[in-house]
Amino acid sequence: MGVETCLGIESTADNLGMGVARSDGAILANVITTHVPEEGGIHPREAARHHARVMGETLSEALDTAGITAWDLDYIAFSQGPGMGPSLRTGATAARALAVRLGVPLVGVNHCVAHIEIGRLATGAEDPLALYVSGGNTIVTGFEAGRYRIFGETLDIAIGNCLDTFSREAGLPYPGGPAVERLALEGSTLIPLPYVVKGMDLSYSGLLTAVTKEFRSGKWSLEDLCFSLQEVAYSMLGEVTERALAHTGKRELLLTGGVGANKRLRAMIGSIAEEHGATPCYVPIGYATDNGAMIAWTGVIAYGSGIRTPIERSHIDPRWRLDRVEVPWRS
Ligand code: ATP
Ligand code: FE2
């Protein structure tokens, strides 16, 4: 069988991503356009309108970058969930239309699985414990008996959401994670903030409330607030990750998802891995935040193990949990 080519469409939130992956593991294109809200957080319907508006040009750019035409595509992968309904629907509609027009199969991909699989591809990790941290998810997971099992997760908001919401409150630019990271470098005073780990799970809503209250009190510099927020938020992650690493005995520790771009978090993960004799694996920045390449690549490996998504089963699932997904390509 020859080499197959897959287009991946990512549209779970504020990014519209189009990637092209080949079954030999080559990523030929990874084009991302981001909807930046005029004010406040992401408005699901506005993000979807943005995605619909730039769908055509993003597709053309991805195909041009890959040096192919749409007729060279062997199948179309799209993020089927979890995520925001209107955004997901826009991407799924485009995927269906393309698949029907080109007469090729459709492969529905779980967005969380894709964050892990692109991390495995890009770093060469085979069977890692993965820390997947983003705007909507905070999950410690590893492959076990046919699925990615969740060892720990947030009980309320995701870590990226906590950073983004605080940064909006403090008048910092969007997205919040990188803005907080830059200011944190200038901070040094550790402000007391709630550290909440319950068993293997974490909670970030109390931390967000507390750091917002401290900001409004005017007692602290923004640099120290950002520094303290990062230290507490990432230490909580470190504790749960370390315990999961010790319990599972995995030999690789993969950091993936948008917050995985953070240098401080990378350093913490690096020292945890080192202490346990595991190899730290960091998803490259270009594949850390939401992108189409991760959907295309996961489409390739899913397709390779026989997964197809007929049109009548291609409806989106905004609440599709990571640990509900069958992962036959690793079994
Ligand atoms: P999900 O994967 O849950 O659907 P998402 O759409 O938010 O979520 P990503 O693009 O993976 O997905 O992550 C975006 C998040 O990453 C935002 O919260 C952003 O602030 C955060 N982020 C990006 N860069 C950094 C950084 N350098 N440090 C910390 N956080 C960062
Ligand atoms: Fe994501």
Side-chain angles (χ1 to χ4, degrees), residues 13 35 42-53 84-87 89-90:
H35 165 69
I42 306 172
H43 298 278
R45 258 182 232 100
E46 278 173 30
R49 254 197 298 276
H50 162 269
H51 297 347
R53 198 173 60 241
M84 296 177 173
S87 295
R89 232 167 265 128
T90 307

Side-chain angles (χ1 to χ4, degrees), residues 13 111 115 132 134-137 160 164 175-178 181 234 258-259 262 288-290:
H111 178 89
H115 272 292
Y132 160 39
S134 62
N137 288 282
D164 291 340
E181 177 171 31
Y234 296 156
V259 182
N262 188 277
T289 50
D290 290 348

Side-chain angles (χ1 to χ4, degrees), residues 55-305:
M55 191 71 68
E57 60 201 63
T58 310
L59 174 62
S60 302
E61 196 185 333
L63 294 173
D64 287 350
T65 308
I68 60 171
T69 74
W71 298 102
D72 295 317
L73 296 168
D74 295 293
Y75 39 93
I76 310 290
F78 68 104
S79 49
Q80 201 168 3
M84 296 177 173
S87 295
L88 282 169
R89 232 167 265 128
T90 307
T93 303
R96 274 182 218 113
L98 260 175
V100 169
R101 176 75 183 90
L102 301 172
V104 298
L106 203 54
V107 183
V109 166
N110 178 283
H111 178 89
C112 308
V113 169
H115 272 292
I116 300 165
E117 294 302 345
I118 195 69
R120 287 178 61 229
L121 175 74
T123 66
E126 278 174 19
D127 179 29
L129 180 80
L131 173 59
Y132 160 39
V133 277
S134 62
N137 288 282
T138 309
I139 293 177
V140 180
T141 179
F143 183 77
E144 213 70 73
R147 292 182 188 204
Y148 284 108
R149 307 290 166 177
I150 297 177
F151 301 123
E153 62 185 324
T154 180
L155 296 169
D156 40 59
I157 59 171
I159 184 162
N161 187 329
C162 175
L163 296 168
D164 291 340
T165 308
F166 172 71
S167 122
R168 193 163 65 236
E169 177 68 29
L172 296 173
Y174 179 90
V180 170
E181 177 171 31
R182 270 191 303 277
L183 281 170
L185 291 174
E186 312 292 323
S188 56
T189 302
L190 196 58
I191 302 162
L193 292 171
Y195 176 107
V196 188
V197 172
K198 296 179 182 169
M200 289 296 281
D201 293 326
L202 319 112
S203 156
Y204 283 108
S205 72
L207 176 58
L208 173 61
T209 307
V211 72
T212 303
K213 192 166 143 248
E214 295 298 347
F215 169 74
R216 288 182 186 154
S217 79
K219 274 194 301 198
W220 315 97
S221 73
L222 195 48
E223 287 79 2
D224 284 339
L225 284 162
C226 290
F227 171 75
S228 306
L229 175 58
Q230 283 209 148
E231 290 306 303
V232 174
Y234 296 156
S235 302
M236 286 162 53
L237 280 180
E239 180 186 331
V240 173
T241 303
E242 179 159 25
R243 219 170 313 142
L245 193 62
H247 278 301
T248 58
K250 301 266 189 201
R251 311 304 303 155
E252 299 155 317
L253 179 53
L254 171 68
L255 179 59
T256 194
V259 182
N262 188 277
K263 293 202 183 65
R264 179 67 182 121
L265 181 58
R266 285 181 179 225
M268 282 191 187
I269 290 302
S271 45
I272 289 169
E274 194 183 336
E275 273 169 40
H276 291 264
T279 308
C281 306
Y282 309 105
V283 72
I285 305 281
Y287 298 140
T289 50
D290 290 348
N291 65 87
M294 70 184 195
I295 303 300
W297 172 243
T298 308
V300 164
I301 51 183
Y303 184 89
S305 59

